Amino acid sequence: MLQAARYLLGSPGASGFGSKSTADEVTAACPDLGSLTAIITGATSGIGAETARVLAKRGARVVIPARSVKAAEDMRARILGECPGADILVLHLDLSSLASVRDFARRFLSLGLPLDLLINNAGKFSHGQLALSEDGVEMTFATNYLGHFLLTKLLLGKMAETAAATGVQGRIVNVSSSVHGWFSGDWADYLKLVTRRKM
């Protein structure tokens, strides 16, 4: 409990950073990330957008996959406004669709780019409204968990290949939320619900 309170108040942890640390502060010790390629899901707003901005500012090639290519292009323009030389690639990806995840991975891999960082940040919350993905899975579960799981699985080989070629171990970062703690229902019924097939 005390650790949680310290974290929420912004007290630094073992890394020297806390919940009030900014992306600029965290990356200050590594100002040149020009040799890295990062894929950041959910990079059109919030934590993902700030992560994309700062990594691009530090020189990393940033890939912004998004369901809304327009929102991703707008984010790309904002970053380029601050960092005119930034290397930013926008590709379509709908994490709720396993076919879209496979298509994105295929397109990214066909580019022949390295992959050093995979930041699984995108998230969706259905606000109590039942919606099913095209695969017949509850939308929040499909987007936040299954889509990222498949994406990671499909890109893991490229990350290992990049690490072997550069001698630098890549990183996979899974950003999460505590929204699951709001659930107070019957887990067995919920599991049936999130895996219900379309009629």
Side-chain angles (χ1 to χ4, degrees):
M1 180 71 160
L2 184 58
Q3 276 185 320
R6 284 184 179 152
Y7 173 78
L8 292 173
L9 292 173
S11 298
S15 66
F17 302 105
S19 63
K20 295 189 191 270
S21 299
T22 67
D24 277 316
E25 292 167 346
V26 172
T27 60
C30 41
D32 183 12
L33 300 176
S35 63
L36 301 181
T37 299
I39 293 176
I40 308 165
T41 68
T44 59
S45 64
I47 292 170
E50 180 63 3
T51 302
R53 182 190 73 80
V54 172
L55 289 179
K57 175 181 171 180
R58 302 283 189 224
R61 175 187 295 121
V62 174
V63 179
I64 302 177
R67 186 176 59 245
S68 168
V69 173
K70 181 189 180 326
E73 288 290 354
D74 290 348
M75 186 64 214
R76 180 178 183 272
R78 286 195 300 274
I79 294 171
L80 289 173
E82 181 180 338
C83 315
D87 187 358
I88 303 167
L89 178 64
V90 170
L91 294 172
H92 178 262
L93 169 63
D94 179 354
L95 282 162
S96 73
S97 163
L98 299 180
S100 178
V101 173
R102 286 185 182 93
D103 185 52
F104 168 82
R106 199 170 22 256
R107 281 181 290 130
F108 175 78
L109 294 172
S110 74
L111 297 172
L113 297 173
L115 181 56
D116 305 278
L117 297 170
L118 173 58
I119 302 174
N120 292 321
N121 169 71
K124 179 176 180 56
F125 182 57
S126 296
H127 304 286
Q129 300 295 319
L130 175 63
L132 298 179
S133 71
E134 66 184 42
D135 301 300
V137 178
E138 190 274 328
M139 192 65 78
T140 301
F141 188 70
T143 303
N144 298 1
Y145 299 98
L146 296 183
H148 280 123
F149 175 82
L150 180 59
L151 180 65
T152 301
K153 182 178 183 296
L154 294 173
L155 298 177
L156 200 54
K158 175 52 83 174
M159 292 192 76
E161 178 186 307
T162 300
T166 64
V168 177
Q169 186 178 3
R171 296 284 186 268
I172 299 169
V173 178
N174 293 307
V175 180
S176 187
S177 165
S178 62
V179 171
H180 64 278
W182 298 352
F183 181 77
S184 61
D186 180 343
W187 281 103
D189 286 343
Y190 181 71
L191 288 174
K192 288 178 194 170
L193 176 70
V194 299
T195 58
R196 185 176 0 160
R197 291 278 177 198
K198 292 189 292 185
M199 299 297 209

